Amino acid sequence: MTITEEIKQLKKEKNAVILAHYYVTPEVQDIADYIGDSFYLSKIAVGLEEQTIVYCGVSFMGESAKVLNPEKTVLMPDAEADCPMAHMADRETIERMRETYEDLAVVCYINSTAELKQYSDVCVTSANAVQIVKALPNKNIFFIPDRNLAHFVAEQVPEKHFVYNEGFCPIHEEMQLEELKRAKEAHPNALVLTHPECTKAILELSDYIGSTSGIINYAKNSDAEEFIICTENGVRHKLEKENPGKRFYFTETEPVCADMKKITLEKILHVLKTGENEVQISEELRELSKRPLEKMLELAK
Ligand code: 13P
Ligand code: SF4
């Protein structure tokens, strides 16, 4: 039996379902039952019939799935796969901001630990941040942890006052403007599709800015034939699969999220066999971090 067949068989035996983010490797994407961006995956995780969720992504994603579905078993193929940005904010600063601004909404990018979510008013993803911030009654917004997404949202919602936090995604932050300029010179007809975790300089050269699903949908629906993609290289798989006639380029130094790439078929098989790496979360933390996640799902309807 191949490893893929073994996974499929065990999945049935254990009543399990596999969720995967677009940044994981192509072979892991191909074995998944559901694949998507953070927003889609957080929505789909609610109301699945299977008892066990194998989450092919980083720890904040598995945590959110567990928070929203406490009765389910959530297994992480690699317990060390973590998003560095998810830790780039702190309780003390949040409390200081709440004292400084009476009318403050703490808006928490879903790429954050449950620990941070519990001090926040609402979660957002890159797919719904603008819509949700617009819908909030608060004038003052403290946006954690990502400063790049915060600046992007602030530009779309000029009526609000933003306080920024110094977090960032190292993979998107390190994308080089010079490399993008060279890619544009090499492919003058290509449209630039960019994730809002990139820096302002990269966003300014972009034709479209959106989540990973947003980028994939844009490329599919566009009449253009060439695209320069400014996000993690895992999205190439879906882009090429869905658009055989179109060409996709990345910058010379392709952005790779080493944590997302830790997920392998062998590790999926291992957790299915052993039940190891189950996401555990205390009832108190679960209750507190559930509120901003549920508020997001409600406001993004
Ligand atoms: P999406 O919201 O597009 O899934 O992005 C998640 C992420 O980790 C980006 O680096
Ligand atoms: Fe975190 Fe960046 Fe990896 Fe996304 S690409 S999971 S934000 S480190």
Side-chain angles (χ1 to χ4, degrees):
M1 227 195 296
T2 65
I3 187 159
T4 307
E5 287 163 351
E6 249 188 290
I7 290 172
K8 284 187 177 155
Q9 186 180 318
L10 264 179
K11 225 174 47 168
K12 260 194 214 139
E13 276 172 36
K14 306 266 169 137
N15 190 21
V17 60
I18 301 179
L19 268 52
H21 189 270
Y22 286 124
Y23 290 166
V24 298
T25 61
E27 59 270 25
V28 173
Q29 293 188 36
D30 286 343
I31 196 101
D33 298 293
Y34 299 95
I35 163 154
D37 69 359
S38 314
F39 182 46
Y40 171 79
L41 293 173
S42 60
K43 277 190 303 186
I44 205 82
V46 180
L48 287 170
E49 277 175 11
E50 293 82 356
Q51 173 52 32
T52 295
I53 298 173
V54 179
Y55 210 126
C56 302
V58 288
S59 43
F60 76 81
M61 297 179 168
E63 247 181 17
S64 299
K66 180 69 184 176
V67 165
L68 292 167
N69 304 280
E71 73 293 349
K72 304 259 178 193
T73 304
V74 180
L75 301 177
M76 303 304 286
D78 188 315
E80 306 289 309
D82 195 7
C83 168
M85 178 164 69
H87 304 267
M88 292 186 191
D90 60 85
R91 178 187 185 170
E92 293 69 33
T93 313
I94 295 172
E95 283 174 355
R96 193 155 32 83
M97 290 307 161
R98 287 205 189 274
E99 281 163 22
T100 312
Y101 300 94
E102 221 174 85
D103 158 47
L104 186 78
V106 178
V107 176
C108 184
Y109 190 21
I110 197 163
N111 294 39
S112 57
T113 59
E115 193 73 24
L116 285 172
K117 287 187 179 85
Q118 72 177 317
Y119 307 122
S120 308
D121 297 304
V122 63
C123 285
V124 296
T125 74
S126 56
N128 60 34
V130 171
Q131 180 193 349
I132 287 180
V133 170
K134 267 189 187 159
L136 294 174
N138 317 62
K139 167 92 177 154
N140 292 302
I141 307 292
F142 182 36
F143 196 105
I144 60 166
D146 187 12
R147 64 181 175 212
N148 291 329
L149 179 61
H151 280 280
F152 170 70
V153 177
E155 272 188 20
Q156 321 291 309
V157 195
E159 65 274 22
K160 308 263 179 192
H161 171 249
F162 274 68
V163 184
Y164 300 98
N165 174 74
E166 284 308 309
F168 57 90
C169 161
I171 286 82
H172 288 85
E173 177 90 4
E174 276 164 25
M175 289 192 64
Q176 296 300 310
L177 182 63
E178 287 312 311
E179 289 194 9
L180 175 56
K181 284 183 180 164
R182 277 201 292 277
K184 278 171 74 80
E185 272 166 32
H187 310 289
N189 295 326
L191 295 180
V192 180
L193 315 185
T194 299
H195 197 281
E197 285 176 17
C198 292
T199 58
K200 190 174 165 61
I202 302 273
L203 298 190
E204 277 172 356
L205 292 189
S206 302
D207 297 289
Y208 170 80
I209 299 162
S211 75
T212 47
S213 294
I215 289 172
I216 288 164
N217 290 337
Y218 188 95
K220 190 176 177 187
N221 297 326
S222 169
D223 291 334
E225 286 172 359
E226 292 180 275
F227 303 88
I228 298 166
I229 305 297
C230 295
T231 191
E232 212 271 355
N233 75 354
V235 298
R236 175 192 273 124
H237 184 54
K238 181 82 170 170
L239 285 167
E240 289 183 346
K241 220 171 167 180
E242 275 195 341
N243 306 283
K246 298 184 179 180
R247 269 159 294 158
F248 300 97
Y249 313 107
F250 286 75
T251 47
E252 287 151 48
T253 317
E254 285 197 13
V256 176
C257 177
D259 282 274
M260 289 284 193
K261 303 298 194 232
K262 284 179 181 166
I263 316 300
T264 61
L265 295 182
E266 288 75 15
K267 291 175 187 173
I268 295 172
L269 183 64
H270 182 77
V271 295
L272 273 170
K273 269 186 187 159
T274 62
E276 275 175 25
N277 300 347
E278 182 179 349
V279 178
Q280 304 282 0
I281 191 155
S282 76
E283 191 47 30
E284 191 192 355
L285 180 56
R286 194 188 76 74
E287 276 301 327
L288 291 169
S289 54
K290 187 177 72 159
R291 283 178 305 115
L293 278 168
E294 286 188 339
K295 190 158 180 194
M296 171 185 82
L297 294 175
E298 192 191 308
L299 288 176
K301 257 180 204 158

